[in-house]
Amino acid sequence: QVQLVESGGGLVQAGGSLRLSCAASASGRTFSWYAMGWFRQAPGKEREFVATINWSGSNTLYADSVKGRFTISRDNAKNTMYLQMNSLKPEDTAVYYCAGRKNTVYSGNAKEYDYWGQGTQVTVSS
């Protein structure tokens, strides 16, 4: 079982930056055995993929809408994943969720994730 807790959300002006964190507590398996991802859901919209990272952090994948602005990373020694968000836009406003899957390979498909955090709100004002 894995518990995921996001933090770092908030209100920021367009062009600003935020850093989200996802702290994981895992029983039975170490954090490094899980590929991780970030997803987001805006009001009235479907949950969408943002970024994903493999078990070691050596491979990452981004949605086109955030490529070049967001950076996903992880620190397996701290059981924590991060999402550095720069040049934020109002359309980035959403609840951001971290997710973990029982596989070392990353995935952009939400259905392939086994564990989810409760989400953290990010609001970008224009």
Side-chain angles (χ1 to χ4, degrees):
Q1 189 68 19
V2 176
Q3 286 80 45
L4 302 173
V5 179
E6 303 95 336
S7 61
L11 173 65
V12 64
Q13 288 189 330
S17 298
L18 282 175
R19 188 195 197 199
L20 304 184
S21 298
C22 174
S25 60
S27 59
R29 300 180 71 175
T30 60
F31 177 66
S32 62
W33 291 5
Y34 297 86
M36 301 292 294
W38 287 99
F39 294 80
R40 67 187 182 185
Q41 187 167 19
K45 295 188 176 182
E46 297 283 323
R47 186 171 299 190
E48 66 173 1
F49 164 70
V50 175
T52 181
I53 190 167
N54 74 330
W55 70 277
S56 66
S58 62
N59 290 310
T60 58
L61 180 69
Y62 296 91
D64 288 343
S65 59
V66 307
K67 200 174 296 182
R69 299 187 298 122
F70 291 10
T71 302
I72 188 172
S73 62
R74 64 189 295 163
D75 185 339
N76 287 341
K78 296 182 178 179
N79 287 359
T80 303
M81 176 181 64
Y82 305 96
L83 185 69
Q84 178 66 45
M85 305 186 295
N86 298 330
S87 302
L88 283 161
K89 304 175 181 180
E91 51 264 43
D92 293 318
T93 294
V95 177
Y96 283 70
Y97 298 90
C98 73
R101 66 188 301 251
K102 291 184 285 188
N103 194 301
T104 58
V105 179
Y106 65 46
S107 171
N109 186 345
K111 294 180 180 180
E112 295 182 351
Y113 283 80
D114 303 289
Y115 306 104
W116 292 85
Q118 82 289 349
T120 185
Q121 176 71 47
V122 171
T123 303
V124 185
S125 63
S126 57

